[in-house]
Amino acid sequence: MGPGPGSPLCPLVDVASASNFRCFQLRHFHLDLRLNFAVKEMSGWLVLDLVPVQPGVQILVLDSHPSLLIHSIDCKVPGSGQEEPVSLTYRVDPFTDYGSSLNVSLPTAALKPGRLIQITIRYTTTDGPAIWWLDSELTCGQSRPLVFTQGHSVCNRSFFPSFDTPAVKSTYTATVRVPDGVTVLMSASRSSYSKQDRVFQFSMEFPVPSYLVALVAGDLQHVDVGPRSRVWAEPCLLSCAVKKLGGSVERWLAVAEQLFGPYLWGRCDIVFLPPSFPIVAMENPCLTFIIASILESSEFLLIDVIHEISHGWFGNAVTNATWEEMWLSEGLATYAQRRITTEAYGEAFTCLETAVRLDALHRQLRLLGDNNPVSKLQVKFEPGVNPSSLMNLFTYEKGFCFVSYLSEICGDVRRFDCFLRDYISEFKFKSVVAQDLIDYFLGYFPELKDAAIAQREGLEFERWLSGCGPPLYEPDLSAGGALTRPVQDLCDLWRSSDPPDLKTVATFDLSAWSTFQIVLFLDRMLDLSPLPHDVMAGLSGCYSSLFDGLNAEVQIRWLQMVVRNSFYPELPRVRAFLHKHVSNDTAPSSTVALHRVLPSHCTEFYRRTAPSSTVALPRVLPSHCTEFYRRTAPSTTVTLHRVLP
């Protein structure tokens, strides 16, 4: 049967998945795990409730990872009279450098389309990319170890065997056994705890893709900050996190519900993780993961939490069916984030934040070139390419610009809000492709379809999706002029070959500026680098002490300018920043991935400054650290004592 109304046009294949997910319906799965911090292992079993949907299927193929040790696999057919499970044969084959395929031979006599089978896989995790074991020295409190998982995009196949594709969603339950004193959280809608047995139980009653299954366990405490929201963190961070967020989460949820309809997930909790968390934030349903260092900047915290809340509608409820169309989650979530901030904080604030991000988009385009295929919204990648490598500003900002264009052509932003609300209602808990969104848009606005808006010359929808280069349309940001004009005026003063008149400069009071204004100023000055030495000296004299007292988002940009411009008088500040943000307690002989011990903003610092820096590296760091700057990719594995002070 062909798809009916509201049925997504899901792809037949996902090149990032080895599984034969189209042959089965995954109704539910259950995880039963024991966490062993001493040996850094999770062991237990996975039960998959599967229904074959095609006749003649004899093999189940799941995504797995070489770090998973499979011990046994068996099968039961509920209601068949079979009491004992049947042991199954299996083999593990190579797939890509980010996973393998687990091929399970099924009992053909028991297989019938529409009949439920239960597959139980007993396994142990080792050092896979999804699971991050932190010794106590690498946590914020430095008192107890901690473990967390990070599944996006294709990492969770090293957490549990699965159909690791966003095209497949299911409910799940989990049982997690831990040592005394350890608290476990999961991206689940319900949870309970037996203190006597030290067992946590979880249930996710809404269907989710595998990458949104997440776990964190350690010394965690909580404070309720709203009727459906709770902040979790290590004890030493909790009061700061609660103070920063206050009652804002419920306020943001209420605004989002007014715009896009009911919040579907029940809970909206947030857990703050140590600086080793590899990204800024992750939209795990019911439990957002966010890096603790973001607490330094209230404005960036606000934006990042609102963005993750937006994923409750765009990305989690309605999900891109393949990683080739990540913009369906990130572009729509970015648009939704900016609608929320506009309603909550005004259009000028939103335009300022958007200006910062679009500047960054064009900066990336200048580096990559307008014809680079990664600038497409629909990125076609070959088998073996890790989808995580395609996470870039285009999925967010070019995607946002396309959604903004759709809002513009419908003629009324409130009318477009209604469209998005109905889009969520139509496709909630499903996975979609871009054509689903476009077809629904043109069906919702028939007058635009009749006007052939999708083929408007120069702005064709197909060109938006498949074309390289900058966005074909950018929203009008003039409403933010009161905040952005002073920034550009100050840039113009400093961009000349001679330092500007200090009396004129003094009319710009940066201490009264917002973080985003200072960031925009430093980003634009960084774009103008290299600058004459006298200009850098003037900037340093005017602002360096001010920047020292501000957050890492400001400091890191000033230090990028210092390195990019070879401004030696400020290099001690670079050294101090790196010492502060690199763990000094990491075992010197450990061999680890750099992004497992460095905050994400530090790895970004190395990435942005090393390629263009002309500074003699030994002047920045001790000589044994120079390799650090030559090997800045987040996945680089190096021996720490070769790179850390």
Side-chain angles (χ1 to χ4, degrees):
M1 295 179 61
S7 297
L9 305 171
C10 278
L12 294 175
V13 295
D14 179 348
V15 296
S17 173
S19 69
N20 58 347
F21 66 92
R22 300 294 291 182
C23 299
F24 298 89
Q25 178 193 2
L26 175 60
R27 294 234 177 126
H28 182 83
F29 69 88
H30 176 75
L31 284 167
D32 195 302
L33 298 172
R34 182 179 299 275
L35 274 54
N36 188 328
F37 284 84
V39 294
K40 299 181 179 178
E41 286 182 353
M42 299 184 189
S43 58
W45 60 87
L46 163 74
V47 181
L48 298 166
D49 289 352
L50 294 169
V51 176
V53 295
Q54 296 181 5
V57 178
Q58 298 180 348
I59 293 179
L60 167 66
V61 184
L62 298 172
D63 291 300
S64 186
H65 192 272
S67 64
L68 285 187
L69 305 179
I70 308 297
H71 303 306
S72 67
I73 303 179
D74 58 53
C75 174
K76 289 183 69 173
V77 183
S80 67
Q82 165 200 340
E83 295 184 4
E84 293 298 320
V86 175
S87 180
L88 303 180
T89 60
Y90 62 90
R91 74 175 191 276
V92 178
D93 291 335
F95 177 57
T96 64
D97 63 358
Y98 57 83
S100 54
S101 66
L102 176 59
N103 301 267
V104 183
S105 298
L106 299 175
T108 54
L111 286 183
K112 293 182 181 178
R115 174 190 279 185
L116 177 70
I117 60 173
Q118 288 185 325
I119 305 295
T120 300
I121 303 172
R122 298 179 186 275
Y123 72 99
T124 300
T125 70
T126 58
D127 187 24
I131 304 173
W132 298 60
W133 296 93
L134 302 185
D135 294 332
S136 57
E137 294 85 359
L138 291 176
T139 66
C140 296
Q142 299 191 353
S143 59
R144 289 177 179 266
L146 183 141
V147 63
F148 63 83
T149 65
Q150 168 56 23
H152 196 286
S153 339
V154 289
C155 292
N156 262 359
R157 59 193 67 184
S158 68
F159 182 17
F160 55 92
S162 61
F163 294 136
D164 196 10
T165 169
V168 174
K169 294 186 174 186
S170 77
T171 57
Y172 80 88
T173 50
T175 300
V176 185
R177 307 164 203 277
V178 293
D180 192 31
V182 174
T183 298
V184 184
L185 310 174
M186 290 192 74
S187 54
S189 50
R190 300 181 186 276
S191 63
S192 62
Y193 172 56
S194 169
K195 187 174 182 179
Q196 179 180 351
D197 301 321
R198 299 197 301 275
V199 173
F200 288 81
Q201 303 276 0
F202 301 94
S203 173
M204 172 51 88
E205 57 195 301
F206 310 108
V208 295
S210 58
Y211 78 92
L212 290 178
V213 178
L215 175 151
V216 59
D219 183 13
L220 299 169
Q221 297 179 5
H222 75 271
V223 170
D224 289 336
V225 294
R228 48 186 165 172
S229 51
R230 178 175 287 173
V231 169
W232 290 88
E234 293 179 67
C236 61
L237 285 174
L238 187 58
S239 60
C240 175
V242 171
K243 181 180 179 181
K244 290 280 188 175
L245 285 174
S248 298
V249 176
E250 183 60 34
R251 177 191 179 193
W252 298 332
L253 281 169
V255 172
E257 288 186 313
Q258 291 172 2
L259 294 171
F260 310 120
Y263 180 73
L264 301 169
W265 303 95
R267 300 294 308 173
C268 183
D269 297 341
I270 298 168
V271 58
F272 286 90
L273 297 176
S276 299
F277 190 55
I279 56 179
V280 174
M282 179 62 203
E283 66 271 16
N284 301 308
C286 306
L287 183 68
T288 290
F289 284 18
I290 192 161
I291 193 168
S293 54
I294 200 70
L295 289 167
E296 290 187 20
S297 171
S298 297
E299 289 178 45
F300 278 82
L301 173 67
L302 176 155
I303 291 298
D304 287 322
V305 173
I306 292 177
H307 182 85
E308 305 314 317
I309 286 174
S310 301
H311 274 302
W313 289 262
F314 306 98
N316 294 0
V318 182
T319 308
N320 47 280
T322 78
W323 294 118
E324 294 176 320
E325 294 187 324
M326 267 189 272
W327 74 271
L328 282 168
S329 290
E330 297 299 350
L332 280 159
T334 302
Y335 179 87
Q337 160 212 312
R338 289 173 180 154
R339 285 292 297 121
I340 295 169
T341 59
T342 297
E343 295 296 312
Y345 299 101
E347 193 173 3
F349 173 83
T350 299
C351 288
L352 171 62
E353 182 268 333
T354 304
V356 171
R357 304 298 191 187
L358 290 181
D359 269 16
L361 176 72
H362 289 287
R363 188 175 304 116
Q364 192 165 39
L365 270 170
R366 288 194 296 271
L367 288 170
L368 298 175
D370 285 352
N371 294 321
N372 195 302
V374 303
S375 63
K376 296 180 180 180
L377 290 182
Q378 285 182 328
V379 181
K380 298 299 180 184
F381 55 86
E382 298 297 322
V385 174
N386 190 327
S388 298
S389 66
L390 299 175
M391 280 289 289
N392 56 46
L393 278 169
F394 301 104
T395 59
Y396 292 80
E397 298 304 335
K398 191 173 180 180
F400 159 75
C401 288
F402 181 43
V403 180
S404 298
Y405 174 66
L406 296 180
S407 174
E408 175 71 16
I409 59 178
C410 86
D412 181 353
V413 68
R414 298 291 179 183
R415 194 179 177 207
F416 193 69
D417 292 341
C418 292
F419 160 75
L420 290 176
R421 188 182 302 121
D422 291 340
Y423 166 78
I424 293 295
S425 179
E426 182 76 13
F427 294 105
K428 64 184 177 184
F429 305 127
K430 297 174 183 176
S431 299
V432 300
V433 296
Q435 198 60 48
D436 294 311
L437 172 66
I438 289 171
D439 288 348
Y440 191 73
F441 176 81
L442 294 175
Y444 199 92
F445 300 108
E447 70 279 12
L448 296 180
K449 184 177 181 179
D450 293 342
I453 197 71
Q455 288 80 42
R456 177 182 287 179
E457 186 176 356
L459 291 162
E460 299 89 348
F461 287 3
E462 178 60 29
R463 186 175 172 189
W464 266 105
L465 298 177
S466 301
C468 299
L472 305 178
Y473 162 91
E474 292 184 13
D476 179 11
L477 302 182
S478 59
L483 298 176
T484 57
R485 272 194 302 272
V487 173
Q488 188 56 49
D489 290 344
L490 186 58
C491 288
D492 291 340
L493 278 177
W494 284 103
R495 70 186 303 163
S496 64
S497 57
D498 298 314
D501 176 66
L502 293 183
K503 289 184 179 180
T504 306
V505 169
T507 63
F508 295 84
D509 182 10
L510 268 63
S511 65
W513 281 13
S514 70
T515 293
F516 277 120
Q517 284 178 293
I518 297 176
V519 162
L520 185 63
F521 169 64
L522 291 174
D523 276 346
R524 290 184 175 178
M525 292 306 298
L526 194 60
D527 289 340
L528 297 172
S529 297
L531 298 167
H533 183 274
D534 289 347
V535 171
M536 278 299 298
L539 287 165
S540 175
C542 289
Y543 308 125
S544 184
S545 59
L546 171 66
F547 297 156
D548 271 351
L550 299 179
N551 58 64
E553 295 290 348
V554 171
Q555 290 181 34
I556 204 165
R557 285 166 169 84
W558 170 242
L559 297 178
Q560 286 167 1
M561 287 187 62
V562 167
V563 175
R564 187 79 62 84
N565 289 280
S566 305
F567 188 63
Y568 296 123
E570 290 276 346
L571 290 181
R573 281 188 165 91
V574 178
R575 182 196 297 268
F577 183 88
L578 296 177
H579 274 286
K580 177 183 176 181
H581 291 279
V582 173
S583 172
N584 293 320
D585 299 302
T586 309
S589 59
S590 301
T591 299
V592 297
L594 283 178
H595 67 300
R596 291 184 179 245
V597 296
L598 298 179
S600 57
H601 57 262
C602 281
T603 54
E604 174 68 5
F605 174 82
Y606 306 133
R607 186 186 69 78
R608 288 186 65 181
T609 58
S612 58
S613 172
T614 59
V615 172
L617 295 178
R619 294 178 181 268
V620 184
L621 291 175
S623 58
H624 57 276
C625 300
T626 56
E627 183 176 290
F628 195 82
Y629 276 81
R630 293 199 298 269
R631 306 182 69 178
T632 57
S635 61
T636 301
T637 300
V638 296
T639 304
L640 285 180
H641 73 274
R642 293 181 178 272
V643 298
L644 298 182

